[in-house]
Amino acid sequence: NGFAQTFSFLCLAMSIYQFFYAFELASPSGESIMFFGKLEYIGEVFMAPIWAILAYKFYYKKNINLKIQLLMFILPLLVLLFALTNDLHQLFYREITIKAYDNFIIGSIAKGPVYYVHIFYSYILITYGQYLFIKSWKENKGIRKRQARLLFFSAFIPVLFGTLFLIKVIPQQLDPMPISFAVFSTFGYF
């Protein structure tokens, strides 16, 4: 059912996000921070739908209908378009200000309505995926039960960090998500 291939696509999307985030952190100017910040979304917008597809394949042991898969990616593609063209409309980010933080220049962001639609949609898909992994964990025995548990908890780390970051419990200077995705990828391959 292509579970390993789907997991690889998920890791690729996370890697794209992490790659451009590293360039954002190393950026010497506000313009380059904004440029690499936009490119992060080439990977970021696809992570939640791929996660939901991965969970579906794991639980049902079959592929989701292709039409449904394509529908799942319409909103992420639109969000990507809004993120890449934000300078024209400010619907994804209302305002970006550049600040110095320790040895970094960082972007401080006031989010726009499209950003929140993206977050809402992503959390729905992630929650659906987590639900399927919990069901699989409860309904299976042996290795399948351990795999479901491991996948649930490996995704729980990025979800927890992301939620804490969104509600501003974690300081807003540096995004904890790329590091949490590295943890996810490491656990997911076991």
Side-chain angles (χ1 to χ4, degrees), residues 54 69 113 115 155 164:
L54 184 80
Q69 286 186 54
Y115 178 88
L164 293 175

Side-chain angles (χ1 to χ4, degrees), residues 24 27-38 98 105-107:
E24 179 185 338
S27 292
S29 69
E31 293 79 23
S32 58
I33 286 173
M34 291 169 33
F35 175 74
F36 289 117
K38 289 177 183 179
I98 305 304
I105 299 172
I106 60 166

Side-chain angles (χ1 to χ4, degrees), residues 37 41 86 90-96 109-112 115:
Y41 284 93
N86 189 67
Q90 285 75 43
L91 291 172
F92 193 74
Y93 293 141
R94 286 186 290 117
E95 182 182 11
I96 302 171
I109 298 165
K111 289 128 178 125
Y115 178 88

Side-chain angles (χ1 to χ4, degrees), residues 128-139:
Y128 172 72
Q130 291 296 82
Y131 167 75
L132 290 179
F133 282 119
I134 288 171
K135 280 184 68 166
S136 190
W137 177 6
K138 290 182 176 186
E139 294 173 7

